[in-house]
Amino acid sequence: MHAAVVHSFDTPPRYDTVDTPRPEGEHQVLVDVLAAGLHPRVRSSADGTHYTSDGTLPLIPGIDAVGRTPDGGLLYFVAPDDAPGTMAEQAVVDRRRAVALPPDTDPIAVAAAMNPAMSSWIALRRRVTLPSNARVLVLGATGSAGRLAVQIAKHLGAAHVVAAGRDPERLALLPDLGADETVSLSADPDRVAADLARTAADADVVIDYVWGPVAEQAMPALLTARPDRAKTLAWIQIGSMAGTELTLPSAYLRAADLRIMGSGQGSVSTAGILAELPSLAERITAGTFAVDPLTVPLAEVEKAWGGPTSPGQRIVLTPGA
């Protein structure tokens, strides 16, 4: 079969021929892949920088996809840990890591949205309990996951959502998706701190896709302006687009009820993640969240890897030339 294959962590995957994988055990089935999303998580696996990477090459990238079973069923699935990735004409599915989809589901939309939506959906349902009239700050709201996080926070009951990001064009789109206020992270640092203090000092939850210097700047801005420092601020670290480290003075943890946690593989069990997939797939299928996929043939994976996208778009690879 044909697949995207990573031969070096320094170069994009290329369209290549590989052996068709074989299902093993009663729970596995071989499916025809209809659509696989090109997510940041996929990119980090393909360049060897993700924390789960073991350095093994060659590899087929792709962590999830929509596929069709031999009996015609439609599935969204997360690839088994010990199986090749999903950017291929066929893939092995463990039915325990799959969600059945209605026959009229748009595979492209589900492949585009499930992974980026999953990060905030799981964070807000598994890592914290949103209080009544919750106020949420999304740091990194101009990325695909952040854009969906704004919508998901609102959908799950947040009364007030502040969207903070760097890209001005993408930031301007977010009020139409549910953001009550926006903050530019590309302004002068003092201005950023003042804007975050003004709009989000009373936040209950921060969904953080950036970390690094941005979070290091945002934390004191929020905490020093907080009207009630004993009110819990749940800081959920999901991504590290601005950096993998920050300096955290110990006083922050004593002077306010700041609770820093992560949300991802390991901090949430596989069973916990899988339990959330059916309800999220249902919302995406129903069109609850705005999704803008850019479809690219799998044969053009090398070109797609570095190709530009418009604000809010997610590349989805489809099999065939």
Side-chain angles (χ1 to χ4, degrees), residues 139-140 166 185 208-217 237 239-246:
L139 282 177
R166 291 189 179 279
L185 296 178
D208 181 4
Y209 290 102
V210 294
W211 202 239
V214 175
E216 189 171 307
Q217 177 186 16
Q237 204 285 317
S240 51
M241 297 301 293
T244 59
E245 298 179 355
L246 58 71

Side-chain angles (χ1 to χ4, degrees), residues 125-186:
R125 286 169 61 93
R126 288 276 164 171
R127 299 299 282 149
V128 295
T129 299
L130 279 180
S132 176
N133 297 318
R135 302 177 72 86
V136 175
L137 167 63
V138 181
L139 282 177
T142 51
S144 294
R147 170 187 167 98
L148 281 161
V150 170
Q151 300 175 66
I152 286 169
K154 276 289 189 176
H155 178 74
L156 294 178
H160 188 269
V161 176
V162 177
R166 291 189 179 279
D167 188 308
E169 186 179 359
R170 299 182 185 206
L171 198 63
L173 301 175
L174 295 177
D176 289 339
L177 298 177
D180 297 284
E181 298 184 80
T182 62
V183 172
S184 172
L185 296 178
S186 60

Side-chain angles (χ1 to χ4, degrees), residues 63-227:
I63 58 171
D64 66 346
V66 176
R68 193 173 300 282
T69 64
D71 61 6
L74 202 60
L75 298 176
Y76 168 78
F77 65 97
V78 178
D81 296 332
D82 57 352
T86 60
M87 290 183 170
E89 292 176 322
Q90 293 184 297
V92 170
V93 174
D94 185 327
R95 289 186 179 272
R96 295 168 296 183
R97 299 167 68 107
V99 178
L101 300 171
D104 59 348
T105 296
D106 179 355
I108 305 296
V110 172
M114 279 291 281
N115 176 269
M118 196 184 305
S119 63
S120 57
W121 182 267
I122 289 172
L124 293 174
R125 286 169 61 93
R126 288 276 164 171
R127 299 299 282 149
V128 295
T129 299
L130 279 180
S132 176
N133 297 318
R135 302 177 72 86
V136 175
L137 167 63
V138 181
L139 282 177
T142 51
S144 294
R147 170 187 167 98
L148 281 161
V150 170
Q151 300 175 66
I152 286 169
K154 276 289 189 176
H155 178 74
L156 294 178
H160 188 269
V161 176
V162 177
R166 291 189 179 279
D167 188 308
E169 186 179 359
R170 299 182 185 206
L171 198 63
L173 301 175
L174 295 177
D176 289 339
L177 298 177
D180 297 284
E181 298 184 80
T182 62
V183 172
S184 172
L185 296 178
S186 60
D188 173 84
D190 291 339
R191 173 65 182 276
V192 172
D195 287 346
L196 289 173
R198 174 179 55 81
T199 60
D202 56 352
D204 298 286
V205 177
V206 176
I207 301 174
D208 181 4
Y209 290 102
V210 294
W211 202 239
V214 175
E216 189 171 307
Q217 177 186 16
M219 281 185 191
L222 266 59
L223 295 177
T224 55
R226 204 158 176 76

